[in-house]
């Protein structure tokens, strides 16, 4: 059973899903890209589902970037800790 498409701006939904797909694949990872693509493909027949896929594409994109940033911060903290605890080099 398909949801009637009346009352939805299909072109806007498709544009948002396409942007989420491109940004997801290029700057995020596979998960937001696939969710954006599913949103784009569902826009003509099931616009409400397409909006949900697009929303979750952006949410997963934000979560992945937050994890990237936390990983970079953890790496920097690790390097600083290793350098701070290394024995000083002395010359004889």
């Amino acid at each position: 059973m398909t949801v009637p498409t009346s009352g939805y701006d299909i072109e806007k939904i498709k544009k948002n899903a396409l942007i989420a797909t491109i940004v997801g694949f290029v700057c995020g990872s596979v998960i937001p890209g696939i969710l954006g693509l599913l949103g784009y493909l569902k826009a003509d027949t099931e616009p409400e589902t397409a909006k949900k896929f697009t929303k979750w594409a952006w949410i997963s994109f934000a979560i992945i970037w937050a994890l990237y940033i936390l990983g970079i911060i953890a790496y920097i903290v690790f390097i600083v800790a290793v350098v701070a605890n290394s024995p000083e080099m002395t010359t004889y």
Side-chain angles (χ1 to χ4, degrees):
M1 181 175 167
T2 61
V3 177
T5 60
S6 63
Y8 292 103
D9 186 5
I10 302 299
E11 292 304 314
K12 182 179 177 184
I13 294 171
K14 287 179 90 169
K15 182 180 87 169
N16 289 338
L18 183 61
I19 292 170
T21 302
I22 293 169
V23 171
F25 277 128
V26 174
C27 300
S29 78
V30 176
I31 295 170
I34 290 175
L35 289 171
L37 182 62
L38 288 172
Y40 184 80
L41 294 174
K42 293 276 188 182
D44 289 327
T45 58
E46 300 175 36
E48 189 63 35
T49 305
K51 287 173 69 175
K52 288 179 184 177
F53 276 130
T54 304
K55 178 180 82 171
W56 281 104
W58 286 115
I59 290 171
S60 65
F61 177 77
I63 290 170
I64 288 170
W65 267 96
L67 291 174
Y68 284 160
I69 292 169
L70 288 174
I72 291 170
I73 291 170
Y75 177 74
I76 291 171
V77 167
F78 174 74
I79 294 299
V80 168
V82 167
V83 170
N85 291 329
S86 65
E88 293 185 55
M89 296 183 69
T90 58
T91 56
Y92 293 100

